[in-house]
Amino acid sequence: MKFTKSIPLKGELRVPGDKSISHRGVMLGSLAQGTTAVTNFLEGADCLSTINCFRSMGIDISRTEKEILIHGKGLHGLSAPSSCLDVGNSGTTMRLLSGILAGQRFSSELTGDASIRKRPMTRVIAPLSLMGGCVESLSGNGLAPLRITGRPLKGMHYQSPVSSAQVKSCVLLAGLYADGQTSVTEPFLSRNHSELMLRSFGAKISSKGTTATVEPEPILIGQKVEVPGDISSAAYFIAAALLIPGSELLIQNVGINPTRDGILKVCASMGAKIEILNSHTCCGEEVADLLVRHSSLKGTVIEGALIPTLIDELPVLSVLAAFAEGTTIIRDAQELKVKESNRLDIMVHHLTAMGADVEPTEDGMIITGGKPLHGGVLDSYLDHRIAMAFAVAGMAAEGETEITRADCVDISYPDFYKDLEKLKK
Ligand code: S3P
């Protein structure tokens, strides 16, 4: 896929449904009694993997034109899958599902593609083992494939070493099957979609600071879930509109949950002109329209508690930083090394290849912005967020940028390139 300096982006756009919320809608819908209807479900490869896994465990999931219908069978209604469950590229599916499977009365195996088989699973094996669960890495190296032998679980308090919603959600979901209360404390608060959705399905769950606590054996009741647009997908359009002179975009119906809105805070600190309009709550999640205008940007510091609130936006934020005046420091972002690719390394490599001034650090990078960027041939490393972030870079840089293996955007945004094209006016 090739990109050159773009003419202004103008008009209105709706990005696809939130990936995290779509996954959780299928999972909780499957464990609930009655039917759950999910509208604006993200039809990306990751969420389709979640659907396939639950279908393999006996859940009837159908599609109408406007919604996904999940015919839940209750907390104890899953049946043993006849073969290994395949999560594809999806970390959320593997880690959240591990928590659910640990408390079942059957055994199962989980695997996925080459990328997911390199990502650390000890972060879920460790807490589940503390709960009395039996989760084994089949090759004994803490990586998938995993074999999960369902067992009765003990409630516990888990002090998580990482601020990860996947770890937190895994433990909370296992806690539904435990013999007592289960709580998780994390260093900084990560996205809280599991907590919000569990509450709306009828679970007893509370949150205080960075601790979430769930009571076992709830009766979950099927719900109507309206998935807001994914702020992580909106991020590429926000960045493109900010960088391309003359642009003005209205991105409608975007989830702005405060545990996800770090990109808006960072953009504001960089001097971006973004108006938050029509803010309201839908199914417990905050939603708004974002009016974004081309802006001149300055450097900033991105660190600490902000990091989990923009973890998936760091590739595109690093692109913004390269075009901003002054220095941007990204710290505390070591989690980026274990995403779909080693994003820290690839961000540094690709930005440098485009002529940016970037210095890697242990847990982030220092970007001295304002040098003119030029195109090049950049591989996606089959990481959807790398492909989309550098597509935006290519639309603001001189010359031609080619993204190779660009189809990986199917993971979270199958129509990404088409939607970009439609806005060129
Ligand atoms: C996700 C949590 C984040 C994020 C991922 C989706 C989720 O991962 O990067 O894309 O849906 O819970 P971590 O929890 O590992 O940070």
Side-chain angles (χ1 to χ4, degrees):
M1 191 65 70
K2 291 183 179 165
F3 298 89
T4 50
K5 215 175 180 101
S6 175
I7 58 171
L9 300 184
K10 288 196 171 155
E12 295 174 2
L13 158 85
R14 278 177 182 258
V15 293
D18 187 277
K19 182 153 80 71
S20 295
I21 299 176
S22 295
H23 280 299
R24 287 158 173 80
V26 173
M27 293 183 184
L28 295 193
S30 299
L31 303 181
Q33 297 180 1
T35 300
T36 289
V38 184
T39 52
N40 200 31
F41 178 81
L42 170 62
E43 303 260 356
D46 271 8
C47 297
L48 297 178
S49 295
T50 293
I51 288 190
N52 286 336
C53 289
F54 280 90
R55 280 190 175 142
S56 305
M57 292 187 286
I59 303 297
D60 175 12
I61 302 175
S62 55
R63 260 201 196 88
T64 69
E65 208 158 277
K66 63 177 196 1
E67 58 196 6
I68 301 279
L69 297 174
I70 303 139
H71 304 283
K73 289 192 170 174
L75 206 58
H76 297 281
L78 299 178
S79 44
S82 56
S83 55
C84 190
L85 296 167
D86 185 354
V87 307
N89 190 245
S90 175
T92 304
T93 312
M94 174 139 319
R95 297 200 177 111
L96 273 60
L97 201 46
S98 298
I100 294 172
L101 292 172
Q104 300 303 315
R105 293 172 187 139
F106 55 79
S107 299
S108 50
E109 285 184 12
L110 278 172
T111 192
D113 70 7
S115 151
I116 196 78
R117 283 187 274 114
K118 286 194 211 120
R119 297 179 64 188
M121 293 301 146
T122 331
R123 54 180 59 201
V124 292
I125 297 174
L128 292 174
S129 304
L130 289 171
M131 295 178 81
C134 178
V135 181
E136 297 157 273
S137 156
L138 285 178
S139 25
N141 54 3
L143 305 178
L146 303 178
R147 181 187 295 126
I148 304 184
T149 312
R151 294 245 175 104
L153 301 176
K154 300 189 286 264
M156 67 155 178
H157 173 250
Y158 186 59
Q159 180 73 49
S160 177
V162 279
S163 302
S164 159
Q166 293 181 354
V167 171
K168 171 174 64 177
S169 305
C170 166
V171 176
L172 293 174
L173 289 167
L176 301 179
Y177 296 92
D179 63 358
Q181 199 176 67
T182 297
S183 58
V184 187
T185 302
E186 47 187 348
F188 298 119
L189 188 63
S190 64
R191 64 191 66 192
N192 65 355
H193 306 301
S194 297
E195 296 92 301
L196 294 179
M197 200 183 285
L198 274 165
R199 183 167 310 132
S200 76
F201 274 71
K204 278 204 187 116
I205 180 151
S206 59
S207 298
K208 198 169 174 220
T210 64
T211 302
T213 305
V214 73
E215 301 296 329
E217 293 296 335
I219 295 175
L220 301 176
I221 305 291
Q223 299 293 314
K224 193 164 170 26
V225 178
E226 283 180 49
V227 182
D230 197 328
I231 192 166
S232 299
S233 297
Y236 307 102
F237 295 91
I238 294 173
L242 291 175
L243 291 180
I244 300 165
S247 297
E248 179 170 323
L249 283 185
L250 181 67
I251 315 174
Q252 293 166 315
N253 191 44
V254 180
I256 56 159
N257 177 320
T259 63
R260 292 286 299 282
D261 71 350
I263 182 171
L264 300 179
K265 296 193 176 109
V266 167
C267 285
S269 77
M270 296 176 89
K273 286 180 262 178
I274 304 179
E275 283 179 57
I276 300 175
L277 306 171
N278 184 26
S279 179
H280 62 285
T281 304
C282 180
C283 296
E285 293 280 352
E286 281 180 51
V287 183
D289 301 335
L290 305 177
L291 179 62
V292 190
R293 296 193 179 91
H294 168 253
S295 309
S296 23
L297 302 176
K298 57 180 196 298
T300 190
V301 179
I302 310 174
E303 63 182 350
L306 261 181
I307 295 291
T309 71
L310 45 66
I311 189 74
D312 292 337
E313 289 66 78
L314 282 164
V316 78
L317 283 169
S318 74
V319 170
L320 282 183
F323 286 98
E325 280 307 319
T327 304
T328 293
I329 303 173
I330 301 176
R331 287 192 196 104
D332 306 319
Q334 58 282 356
E335 275 293 298
L336 287 189
K337 295 181 186 172
V338 291
K339 292 293 176 188
E340 287 84 327
S341 66
N342 181 336
R343 288 185 181 157
L344 274 188
D345 278 3
I346 297 170
M347 285 151 66
V348 170
H349 174 271
H350 285 6
L351 287 172
T352 308
M354 296 184 87
D357 181 346
V358 190
E359 189 192 318
T361 60
E362 189 93 319
D363 60 352
M365 64 193 70
I366 301 169
I367 301 166
T368 308
K371 271 181 82 182
L373 262 57
H374 56 77
V377 179
L378 304 173
D379 189 37
S380 70
Y381 288 83
L382 297 177
D383 182 333
H384 54 136
R385 304 216 184 274
I386 294 292
M388 292 188 274
F390 286 90
V392 171
M395 290 168 73
E398 297 298 330
E400 186 180 85
T401 299
E402 182 177 357
I403 310 286
T404 55
R405 301 195 287 173
D407 300 352
C408 58
V409 301
D410 283 356
I411 292 293
S412 62
Y413 200 154
D415 287 334
F416 177 68
Y417 302 116
K418 276 190 217 145
D419 283 359
L420 262 184
E421 251 344 276
K422 280 191 220 151
L423 299 167
K424 289 188 183 166
K425 291 192 180 129

